[in-house]
Every structure is written in structure tokens, then in C-alpha cells.
Amino acid sequence: VLRVRDEVAIDRWDGEEVEVLASAPYRPGEELVLEVTGNGHKPLRLVVRESRPFVAADGAIRHRVVLAAGPGAVAVDEGNAS
């Protein structure tokens, strides 16, 4: 499965997990690359722990996606960000 760029909003980021709000669902176990803009952050390869729908304040359906960020958060070599 090939996914193209999807804009997400980071809701929470601690030492273990990154929780993002996305417009599309993701499958647990799916591997994603999260690119955070600014401050020279490198892209991170993360794994989806869970994805659940919710209704946003504007009435739109969004998905709360929890990503593994501990030892599974591997910086991606920009020449190899597949």
C-alpha cells in the first residue's frame, strides 16, 4: 500500500507516543513517516498503535491516530525515506 502525503495535526507527543488528528484512518501495525516542519527535525518512521474516528467541533469525521514513538521512532535517512 502506498500512501501519499496527508496533513495531520499533532495533538500529543511524549516519550512513548505521538497522537495525531488525521482526515483518514490508518491500520494498526502500518508503518508511517512523520515529517515535522521547522527546527530542522528529521522525518521519523513510526508504527500505528491505534486509529479511531471522532467527530470534530466542526462536525467533520476525523481520526485520532496513536503512533509508537519510543524505540520504534527511527530517524529516516532523507535519501531513503520510502
Side-chain angles (χ1 to χ4, degrees), residues 7-26:
E7 298 290 326
V8 299
I10 296 174
D11 191 45
R12 180 178 59 85
W13 191 326
D14 62 29
E16 296 290 319
E17 296 178 332
V18 178
E19 192 168 314
V20 299
L21 307 178
S23 59
Y26 292 89

